[in-house]
Amino acid sequence: MDKPLVGGQAVVEGVMFQTNNRMVTAIRRNNDDIQYFEMERPQKKWIQKLKKIPVLRGNAAILESSIYGMKHLEFATDRYERDPEDDISIEEEKQAVNQAKVVLSTIIVGILSFLIGKFLFTLIPVFVAEVFSGVVTSHFGQVFLESLFKLILLLGYIYVISMTPMIKRLFQYHGAEHKVINTFEEGRDLTVENVQRQSRLHYRCGSSFILFTVLVGFVVYMFVPVEPFYVRILNRIALIPVVIGLSFEFLQLTNKLRDVPVLRWLGTPGLLLQYLTTKQPDDTQVEVAIHSFNKLLRRD
């Protein structure tokens, strides 16, 4: 029987794993206990139809991950540094408000956070590149500068946030997530020792996707005008779904070619970025990731 395709996401003090059918998160509480949150993965017909269409499926996948991933992030952050004996108060707080409003607001926050971040990440480099338009006047030069500033912004942002203790631990759990998936895909037993021997990098990582949006965007922008400036702004906004969709397709391609000796280098830029977005986990963090993964396999 074919192995299920498993993805994942680091959360505060834990890891979420998911298949097409189910999502499971395991977190370590401050009393050292491991607690779980699980849910069936909703199968929205319109989402499933979009996920069969090249380019559009990338946007659908990102939207779906943002919405459902927020629920697991909320579960983890609600319990961060809180005594497990206080969990009843968390439920009472949620029952005191309209649950429909909570769910809707969570979805809206997830979508808006993604969109605002993507708009800023896309448009700030445009304005910076425009500052140099008097010196760098060629179309190629402007697009190259824009992409260069976008890459610097990306790397600088990740590096700065990785210096904070909480994000560093989050990146350690990110590394644990990759190690567990790599162990599973190699067919090895999920023990702490086996998992720790694996690489903390993985071809299907969302970090690679973010970097590919820079590289793919560079190619796409070569075919649209940069002058006048307002047209440049408008086409950058309009092309966000196109760049996301093409980047997703490129990410899938690199995953399919990762065992082809000559072509596996296509995924190298994304793997290099993961040296920033993942950190070496300790054994206790790997243990949490294993618990989450095993729970998913039992439930799926």
Side-chain angles (χ1 to χ4, degrees):
M1 184 173 62
D2 292 338
K3 292 181 180 179
L5 187 65
V6 181
Q9 172 183 319
V11 298
V12 178
E13 291 303 320
V15 177
M16 180 271 283
F17 286 109
Q18 59 183 330
T19 62
N20 288 330
N21 303 312
R22 199 157 193 86
M23 308 172 76
V24 172
T25 288
I27 61 172
R28 188 179 295 279
R29 304 300 300 274
N30 56 19
N31 66 349
D32 210 36
D33 285 347
I34 294 177
Q35 187 173 353
Y36 301 94
F37 172 66
E38 54 185 296
M39 58 179 279
E40 290 186 5
R41 193 185 183 106
Q43 301 294 321
K44 302 293 184 182
K45 290 184 178 180
W46 65 275
I47 287 282
Q48 300 310 311
K49 289 181 179 179
L50 286 178
K51 288 170 73 173
K52 295 178 181 179
I53 304 173
V55 181
L56 290 181
R57 61 189 173 191
N59 289 274
I62 296 298
L63 177 63
E64 187 180 41
S65 296
S66 298
I67 292 173
Y68 302 144
M70 280 293 294
K71 295 181 180 180
H72 291 260
L73 286 171
E74 181 184 20
F75 166 79
T77 53
D78 280 348
R79 288 154 180 78
Y80 178 62
E81 291 189 338
R82 291 186 68 158
D83 193 299
E85 294 181 358
D86 293 337
D87 283 0
I88 188 172
S89 64
I90 297 176
E91 300 304 320
E92 290 174 348
E93 290 166 7
K94 291 186 175 181
Q95 291 175 6
V97 297
N98 188 306
Q99 283 298 299
K101 290 182 179 179
V102 171
V103 172
L104 182 60
S105 63
T106 299
I107 293 173
I108 292 174
V109 168
I111 295 174
L112 287 180
S113 298
F114 172 76
L115 290 177
I116 291 172
K118 186 58 184 171
F119 270 61
L120 291 175
F121 182 68
T122 299
L123 296 181
I124 289 177
V126 175
F127 284 95
V128 176
E130 179 66 15
V131 173
F132 296 90
S133 60
V135 179
V136 181
T137 58
S138 70
H139 181 95
F140 175 86
Q142 274 293 299
V143 174
F144 177 80
L145 271 184
E146 179 184 337
S147 300
L148 178 62
F149 291 137
K150 187 180 296 186
L151 182 60
I152 293 172
L153 179 63
L154 169 66
L155 298 178
Y157 173 74
I158 293 175
Y159 177 75
V160 169
I161 65 172
S162 69
M163 303 292 285
T164 63
M166 178 181 286
I167 299 301
K168 181 179 179 180
R169 286 192 62 80
L170 188 71
F171 285 178
Q172 286 179 296
Y173 278 107
H174 189 191
E177 172 217 327
H178 286 181
K179 283 172 172 280
V180 167
I181 293 178
N182 284 331
T183 306
F184 174 72
E185 291 180 343
E186 284 195 3
R188 300 181 182 277
D189 293 335
L190 291 179
T191 64
V192 172
E193 293 75 19
N194 284 345
V195 171
Q196 285 287 35
R197 293 191 187 101
Q198 295 293 321
S199 169
R200 70 177 199 260
L201 314 180
H202 196 280
Y203 275 83
R204 284 187 285 109
C205 177
S207 303
S208 298
F209 168 78
I210 294 173
L211 180 62
F212 289 153
T213 62
V214 177
L215 304 178
V216 170
F218 172 73
V219 176
V220 171
Y221 298 155
M222 291 300 298
F223 295 94
V224 294
V226 296
E227 296 294 343
F229 186 61
Y230 77 89
V231 171
R232 185 176 185 176
I233 293 293
L234 291 177
N235 68 44
R236 294 303 187 265
I237 294 174
L239 288 171
I240 286 177
V242 176
V243 172
I244 288 175
L246 291 175
S247 299
F248 180 84
E249 299 299 328
F250 190 70
L251 177 66
Q252 299 302 309
L253 178 65
T254 61
N255 185 56
K256 292 177 180 178
L257 298 176
R258 62 178 176 174
D259 294 323
V260 180
V262 180
L263 298 177
R264 63 182 304 165
W265 63 269
L266 289 172
T268 301
L271 294 176
L272 291 176
L273 179 62
Q274 290 176 43
Y275 281 108
L276 282 179
T277 62
T278 65
K279 301 294 182 185
Q280 179 64 32
D282 61 33
D283 288 351
T284 63
Q285 292 168 318
V286 167
E287 182 185 19
V288 173
I290 291 174
H291 276 276
S292 178
F293 196 92
N294 285 336
K295 186 87 162 182
L296 175 69
L297 293 185
R298 289 194 298 268
R299 298 297 197 200
D300 188 48

